[in-house]
């Protein structure tokens, strides 16, 4: 009878430049050439998914890969997309930051928010107004990360903008054009409609990204592959940049 060893789990930073031998270092107990690894990346943010794919295709000891990608807007350009030669040869293969960011959202979750028509939808309008103020004050500051501002629907639009300016390192006491902000707020329904229409493209964009990864692995000679959609709620897990290595 063959003795079955239980999997040996190792949490490790994964870098696309890491050599195969370095990936195997935490598994020193396995004789050289006998290690069989399963790379697992859950909510594998941005280029982490790409690093896992490259290790899977180049390291003989990595025999299986389970990767749930997220935060497509953080993919390096070039380097993170496209990966396959086939997609790179397509005319107009480029995906803008906005398209890749939209592909991270789950349509079913947003559909529920629309059906409830709650005040939380106001966030889109407030964030758009904040962006116009930021670009007026600091034109070179594009798409700054604004950490979540709690209970947005209870704030006046100028209060939200002041808190948002502080979160991106700008002076929250800057003089604001209240009339312009109120004009933005009057367009709230249009902003929600625009965001909803943009979100309809999310499955299409994500499909292209996932197919590109599948084609990349096929070009590397890998078979028996299965691709699935991104991690739900990827935005809240975007800072996760780790993976697990299991010895099978």
């Amino acid at each position: 009878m063959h003795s079955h060893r239980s999997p040996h789990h190792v949490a490790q930073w994964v870098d696309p430049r890491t050599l195969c031998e370095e990936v195997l270092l935490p598994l020193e107990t396995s004789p050289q050439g006998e290690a069989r690894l399963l790379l697992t990346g859950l909510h594998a943010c941005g280029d982490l998914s790409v690093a896992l794919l490259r290790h899977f295709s180049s390291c003989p000891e990595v025999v299986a890969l389970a990767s749930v990608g997220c935060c497509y807007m953080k993919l390096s350009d070039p380097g993170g997309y496209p990966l396959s030669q086939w997609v790179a040869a397509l005319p107009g293969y480029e995906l803008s930051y906005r398209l890749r960011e939209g592909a991270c959202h789950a349509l079913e979750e947003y559909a529920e928010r629309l059906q409830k028509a709650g005040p939380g939808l106001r966030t889109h309008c407030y964030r758009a107004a904040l962006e116009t103020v930021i670009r007026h004050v600091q034109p070179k500051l594009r798409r700054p990360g604004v950490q979540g501002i709690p209970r947005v629907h209870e704030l006046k639009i100028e209060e939200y903008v002041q808190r948002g300016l502080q979160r991106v390192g700008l002076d929250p006491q800057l003089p604001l054009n209240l009339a312009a902000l109120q004009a933005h707020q009057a367009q709230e329904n249009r902003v929600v409609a625009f965001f909803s229409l943009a979100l309809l493209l999310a499955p299409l964009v994500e499909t292209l990204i996932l197919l590109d990864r599948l084609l990349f692995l096929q070009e590397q000679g890998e078979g028996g592959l299965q691709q699935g959609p991104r991690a739900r709620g990827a935005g809240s897990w975007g800072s996760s940049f780790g993976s697990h290595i299991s010895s099978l």
Side-chain angles (χ1 to χ4, degrees):
M1 295 180 62
H2 295 284
S3 60
H4 295 282
R5 294 180 302 168
S6 60
H8 175 45
H9 301 282
V10 178
Q12 181 179 348
W13 290 91
V14 176
D15 189 297
R17 298 164 296 182
T18 301
L19 298 176
C20 185
E21 293 78 9
E22 296 178 58
V23 176
L24 301 176
L25 283 179
L27 304 172
E28 295 176 350
T29 56
S30 299
Q32 188 173 6
E34 293 186 10
R36 299 174 67 244
L37 307 183
L38 161 65
L39 282 182
T40 305
L42 303 180
H43 298 276
C45 181
D47 285 341
L48 177 57
S49 295
V50 177
L52 295 176
L53 290 168
R54 294 193 183 281
H55 284 305
F56 176 64
S57 64
S58 63
C59 186
E61 286 80 5
V62 179
V63 297
L65 168 66
S67 176
V68 183
C70 68
C71 300
Y72 300 131
M73 67 284 192
K74 295 183 179 180
L75 289 169
S76 298
D77 186 16
Y81 170 86
L83 291 175
S84 68
Q85 297 177 11
W86 193 88
V87 171
L90 291 175
Y93 68 83
E94 298 88 353
L95 294 175
S96 67
Y97 178 97
R98 181 66 188 87
L99 284 173
R100 287 182 281 127
E101 192 277 334
C104 298
H105 295 276
L107 289 181
E108 56 273 22
E109 293 181 3
Y110 194 71
E112 290 182 5
R113 293 179 60 189
L114 288 176
Q115 290 174 349
K116 294 178 181 178
L121 292 173
R122 188 171 301 158
T123 303
H124 298 305
C125 182
Y126 279 19
R127 181 63 182 86
L130 171 61
E131 188 70 18
T132 61
V133 174
I134 292 174
R135 295 197 180 191
H136 176 74
V137 175
Q138 192 69 265
K140 294 184 179 180
L141 183 59
R142 296 297 182 95
R143 308 185 191 93
V146 181
Q147 295 181 354
I149 298 176
R151 309 187 73 83
V152 171
H153 61 282
E154 296 180 0
L155 300 176
K156 295 180 179 179
I157 190 169
E158 60 269 25
E159 294 174 333
Y160 174 88
V161 169
Q162 288 172 338
R163 295 188 186 187
L165 289 172
Q166 186 174 23
R167 277 169 164 73
V168 298
L170 298 176
D171 184 3
Q173 300 303 320
L174 288 171
L176 300 175
N177 186 334
L178 294 182
L181 291 178
Q182 290 168 358
H184 283 302
Q185 188 170 0
Q187 303 296 318
E188 178 179 328
N189 289 337
R190 289 190 174 187
V191 174
V192 172
F194 176 82
F195 186 83
S196 301
L197 290 172
L199 212 57
L200 291 176
L201 295 174
L204 176 63
V205 175
E206 184 179 33
T207 296
L208 177 57
I209 294 173
L210 295 181
L211 282 176
D212 173 57
R213 295 176 177 183
L214 179 63
L215 290 168
F216 165 76
L217 291 177
Q218 289 181 340
E219 289 173 354
Q220 306 304 310
E222 302 292 345
L225 303 170
Q226 181 177 357
Q227 285 274 357
R230 76 241 164 261
R232 292 294 185 260
S236 62
W237 292 82
S239 61
S240 174
F241 195 76
S243 71
H244 292 276
I245 300 177
S246 298
S247 176
L248 303 178

